[in-house]
Amino acid sequence: MEYVQLNNGIKMPMLGYGVYQVTKNECERCVTDALSVGYRLIDTAQSYFNEEEVGAAITKSGIPREEIFLTTKVWVEHYGYEECKKSVYTSLEKLKTDYLDLMLLHHPGTGDVEAYHAMEQAVADGKIHSIGLSNWYIEELEVFLPQVNITPAVVQNEIHPYYQEQEVVLYIQSLGIVVNGYSPFGGRGHTSELFADPVISKIAETHGVTSAQVILRWNIQRGVVVNPGSINPDHIQENLDVFGFTLTSEEMEQIASLERGEKHEWY
């Protein structure tokens, strides 16, 4: 595993397991599989409705809590100071933990600044170690950041070869904030096209790896933390095996040329 140091000195794994769209019935098993093969970053959210299953898997794993980096996100319905404060404790209870390694606001919305202030207080209280944002871009950040006291440690946005957010990534990184990419394979319904892209397929063949592994490695070499998700145990294992090869600068440029500005999530 490779790690990145956040602006508060905490280390975060560069590769994690995301449980977006993993059902309650499958989530505990999937997180258990991920932890058993070596994942130590687990990414969930209040709106995924599977925090309890994530918490159960972590508890049953027997892995010391301090070895796991746990991320969740505050849903927009819980914005505002008091609502967010309440939701922090609800997430802690569901996740069966005394603290969160990272908590993000899920996307911009009414009361988001007040909600962030509630997370800042939770940091002071020791309930959250790092805080950040999801689905915030340059314009939103320029308005938001002057209103808060703790600079976000992480901003998590949609990032894949067809939607690279090159300018946004560089802007966020220039502020000393780590970029975390979700939907690295384009999101459900788009993976087949991305995996079959001739540029990515050729690079994968050159290195004797899969297209998925090439895409994850591309993110990591850009300094982007990435959280692939899968319910297939073989794919969960495969996605973790990306630290044994390095893409050349030419290959990185070839993938950069695939940019389409093709955003697939609604926010």
Side-chain angles (χ1 to χ4, degrees):
M1 180 57 64
E2 295 176 8
Y3 293 82
V4 62
Q5 184 166 299
L6 304 180
N7 55 20
N8 56 8
I10 292 173
K11 289 185 177 180
M12 180 181 187
M14 288 295 297
L15 179 68
Y17 177 68
V19 297
Y20 175 54
Q21 293 186 329
V22 177
T23 66
K24 293 177 73 69
N25 292 335
E26 296 174 315
C27 187
E28 185 176 334
R29 187 267 302 170
C30 289
V31 174
T32 298
D33 288 346
L35 291 171
S36 69
V37 298
Y39 286 86
R40 290 298 181 266
L41 164 58
I42 306 297
D43 182 280
T44 185
Q46 294 171 353
S47 66
Y48 299 172
F49 302 107
N50 55 23
E51 287 179 314
E52 289 172 310
E53 289 69 28
V54 169
I58 290 174
T59 300
K60 293 176 183 177
S61 73
I63 298 169
R65 174 66 183 86
E66 61 270 18
E67 293 182 14
I68 298 172
F69 192 102
L70 180 58
T71 300
T72 193
K73 309 174 194 75
V74 180
W75 187 235
V76 64
E77 291 179 359
H78 303 309
Y79 285 4
Y81 189 91
E82 291 300 330
E83 277 297 313
C84 180
K85 178 181 177 180
K86 181 180 177 181
S87 81
V88 169
Y89 284 88
T90 299
S91 287
L92 288 169
E93 182 179 354
K94 288 182 176 180
L95 289 162
K96 302 175 178 63
T97 184
D98 295 328
Y99 69 92
L100 296 165
D101 296 276
L102 176 64
M103 195 168 208
L104 311 173
L105 297 185
H106 211 137
H107 64 79
T110 302
D112 52 13
V113 173
E114 292 78 9
Y116 195 89
H117 288 321
M119 293 200 301
E120 290 177 327
Q121 184 59 51
V123 171
D125 294 339
K127 297 302 181 181
I128 307 174
H129 290 174
S130 304
I131 55 179
L133 307 167
S134 184
N135 300 295
W136 256 261
Y137 297 88
I138 294 175
E139 289 185 7
E140 291 89 349
L141 287 168
E142 288 178 339
V143 172
F144 188 88
L145 293 180
Q147 302 181 73
V148 301
N149 302 307
I150 298 176
T151 300
V154 174
V155 172
Q156 184 182 114
N157 289 341
E158 177 181 348
I159 296 174
H160 50 79
Y162 293 162
Y163 188 72
Q164 299 185 20
E165 286 295 329
Q166 295 178 23
E167 181 183 359
V168 176
V169 168
L170 291 175
Y171 173 79
I172 293 172
Q173 290 175 336
S174 76
L175 299 175
I177 301 170
V178 167
V179 178
N180 187 181
Y182 70 78
S183 294
F185 306 138
R188 299 217 173 166
H190 301 279
T191 57
S192 297
E193 181 186 8
L194 195 53
F195 288 169
D197 186 284
V199 170
I200 294 172
S201 298
K202 183 177 179 181
I203 294 172
E205 184 179 358
T206 298
H207 290 275
V209 298
T210 66
S211 292
Q213 289 169 319
V214 167
I215 292 167
L216 296 174
R217 188 67 207 171
W218 165 76
N219 273 291
I220 290 167
Q221 288 185 213
R222 296 174 73 202
V224 173
V225 174
V226 65
N227 307 325
S230 176
I231 62 172
N232 183 314
D234 292 335
H235 293 164
I236 291 173
Q237 171 76 68
E238 174 190 310
N239 291 340
L240 188 64
D241 188 18
V242 296
F243 299 103
F245 70 100
T246 302
L247 301 178
T248 67
S249 57
E250 182 180 1
E251 289 168 338
M252 293 290 288
E253 290 171 5
Q254 289 171 351
I255 297 174
S257 72
L258 300 178
E259 172 66 71
R260 296 181 181 177
E262 194 173 286
K263 186 169 172 54
H264 295 145
E265 292 293 346
W266 65 273
Y267 45 70

